[in-house]
Every structure is written in C-alpha cells, then in structure tokens.
Amino acid sequence: MSDGRGVRGVKSASRTVALLELLAARGEEPSRLDQLAEELGVPRSSMYQLLRTLVDCGWVRTDATGSLYGIGIRALLTGTSYLDGDRRIRAVRPYLDEASDALGETIHLARLDGGDVVYLATRESHEYLRTISRVGRRVPAHAGALGKALLAERPDGELPLPDDPLTALTENTHTTRAALLADLARVRQRGHSVDRQETVPGIAGFGFALRYDAPATDAISCSVPVARLTPDHEVRIVAVMREIRAKIEARLPPVPGAPDWR
C-alpha cells in the first residue's frame, strides 16, 4: 500500500485510522469486538489489542463490561483543534453570523472531502421551526446545496462520484450521474446551487462556493423549511448570500507564505 508519491503506508497506522473512522461513523451505536474485527478484516486478537491501546489513550471508550466500544473524547479534542487552527474557518465565522442575523435562517460552512462535504460551522435559525444540523456531519456531495455548489466548480470528467446509482437521502436526491450533471450545468449558469428536499425532507437549501481556492473546496449555504420559503424570501436569501460570499472572498485572498494544506 502506498500513497500517490510512492511512499509505502504503515499498516498499523492505516488500521488505527480505519477503526476510528468506523467508530465515528456509527455515532451512538456501540460496536462489539467481533463486529469490528470482521468489518475491518482484522484478527480478533489484534483488534482487541488495538482497542485496548486506544481506550487507554482516550481515543476509544468502552462500557463497564468492556464489551462495547465507541469513539472517545480525544477525537473531539482533535476535531476542535482542526476548527480552531484553520484561519479560513475563523475568518468566515463572523460572516455566518451576519447572514444569520439578516435572514433568520440556518447558515452553514462546509468543506469538500473526497465525495462528501463535511460541516465546519453552523448558525441555527432564529425561528422555532429549524433545520437539523451539526458540525462534523458528513453528507454525500451530490445530495445537497453545499456539495453541488462545489461539484459545479469542477469539470464533469473530474467529479469525485461513485458509480450509479448515487446514494439517495430522500426521494428527491439525484441518483444518476446524468441527472446530477444536468443540475450542475444549471448551478454554473445561475451561480449558486439549489437543494429542494434532496438532503432532508421539508428542507430547501441554497449553496455558494467560496472561490478563494481553485477549484473551490469550501462553500456556504442557507437552509430553510419549505413551509417558510416564499418566492420573495428565496429572492432575498439569494441576494444576501451572494453579498456574504463577496465579502468573504474579499476578506480571504491567498496569503503569501501560508501553508497550502492538502
């Protein structure tokens, strides 16, 4: 196993990362030793030793019986460090507040990670009827406003998409590459993406790529319950979010000498 530069990977490190990602993906659902060993194709004895090491280090937690495992608190500390250490996230946060105050709706910042987008910051709606979101949430890029805004920044032949059928989150999600490409063409034409109940039933979203990278890796969006989405409100959302995007891009030109994170 090697990376794109021909550097051979470390098997134990790859196994540890795969285990942590699996536990994180399961969220509140605890896992048993046999389940983890089988899913990752690791001998039971080796998996037990790895789990005990990670429990002792705080990366994995276990119950009183020592038979159930979940992600540990050290993962939270590392994730928080990522958010606090990224100058772009820090710089964008005040503009998320500005958009939230202007629109009274839920505002997101997310980053493309392979074929998914990961939520980096959220400002919740002021209204009682809210969308459901959280920092760290991972969503297939083809299934929502944030992801489609970022996919549209790339040539159709370079999109990080799996084979058809694409994963459906709702009955409105694009499940074929052809349908998605037609939508992305419309995104490029209008300059922003639209998600009409493709990620969450009852929720619409409007996504705007942040072009301080080329191609863009970050995007902002406004999510709103369709019950509150009048034509006039949609026009206002698009106008405000366009203005917010322009302010962010003006605030975040490339910095000479700054790390080019990959």
Side-chain angles (χ1 to χ4, degrees), residues 201-218:
I203 301 297
F206 303 87
F208 300 78
L210 299 175
R211 294 162 181 156
Y212 42 64
D213 284 319
T217 58
D218 295 351

Side-chain angles (χ1 to χ4, degrees), residues 225-244:
V226 294
R228 271 205 313 271
L229 186 60
T230 64
D232 287 345
H233 193 28
E234 179 169 339
V235 169
R236 175 161 170 72
I237 287 172
V238 171
V240 169
M241 294 301 288
R242 282 184 185 276
E243 181 180 353
I244 293 295

Side-chain angles (χ1 to χ4, degrees), residues 112-117 138 141 151 160:
L112 190 66
D113 180 32
D116 298 334
V117 291
R138 179 178 291 269
L151 292 179

Side-chain angles (χ1 to χ4, degrees), residues 24-255:
R26 292 191 170 180
E28 296 181 1
E29 180 185 351
S31 301
R32 295 186 178 275
L33 171 61
D34 290 342
Q35 293 174 321
L36 296 170
E38 180 179 358
E39 186 150 351
L40 295 180
V42 175
R44 190 177 186 279
S45 58
S46 298
M47 178 58 69
Y48 178 75
Q49 293 174 8
L50 178 56
L51 284 168
R52 292 311 311 172
T53 299
L54 292 174
V55 167
D56 291 342
C57 294
W59 283 89
V60 171
R61 60 179 174 174
T62 188
D63 70 334
T65 68
S67 60
L68 297 176
Y69 299 92
I71 198 70
I73 196 169
R74 287 289 174 181
L76 171 63
L77 300 178
T78 301
T80 301
S81 176
Y82 177 87
L83 296 174
D84 291 343
D86 191 296
R87 74 177 184 89
R88 289 172 172 171
I89 298 174
R90 294 197 307 270
V92 169
R93 282 172 177 156
Y95 298 101
L96 303 183
D97 293 333
E98 183 178 340
S100 176
D101 290 342
L103 295 170
E105 303 294 355
T106 299
I107 310 297
H108 302 292
L109 167 69
R111 181 164 293 166
L112 190 66
D113 180 32
D116 298 334
V117 291
V118 179
Y119 287 72
L120 302 176
T122 292
R123 297 295 182 267
E124 292 289 353
S125 168
H126 302 166
E127 300 292 335
Y128 177 76
L129 182 58
R130 300 179 178 181
T131 62
I132 300 173
S133 59
R134 70 174 187 271
V135 172
R137 181 188 182 200
R138 179 178 291 269
V139 174
H142 69 271
L146 289 159
K148 290 193 298 181
L150 291 168
L151 292 179
E153 296 292 305
R154 290 154 173 77
D156 288 348
E158 299 178 11
L159 299 180
L161 296 174
D163 295 333
D164 288 355
L166 304 176
T167 302
L169 300 187
T170 74
E171 62 181 15
N172 296 316
T173 306
H174 295 307
T175 56
T176 68
R177 188 183 185 94
L180 176 64
L181 293 183
D183 193 351
L184 296 183
R186 294 189 290 272
V187 173
R188 296 178 186 117
Q189 185 176 30
R190 74 168 79 92
H192 67 274
S193 64
V194 180
D195 164 6
R196 299 195 188 277
Q197 305 187 71
E198 296 169 35
T199 308
V200 179
I203 301 297
F206 303 87
F208 300 78
L210 299 175
R211 294 162 181 156
Y212 42 64
D213 284 319
T217 58
D218 295 351
I220 55 173
S221 73
C222 176
S223 296
V224 55
V226 294
R228 271 205 313 271
L229 186 60
T230 64
D232 287 345
H233 193 28
E234 179 169 339
V235 169
R236 175 161 170 72
I237 287 172
V238 171
V240 169
M241 294 301 288
R242 282 184 185 276
E243 181 180 353
I244 293 295
R245 171 169 63 182
K247 290 182 178 181
I248 293 172
E249 291 176 345
R251 172 73 172 79
L252 281 169
V255 176

Side-chain angles (χ1 to χ4, degrees), residues 1-3 6-18 50:
M1 179 179 59
S2 63
D3 65 14
V7 178
R8 189 167 183 80
V10 178
K11 185 176 181 180
S12 59
S14 298
R15 182 176 289 175
T16 301
V17 171
L50 178 56

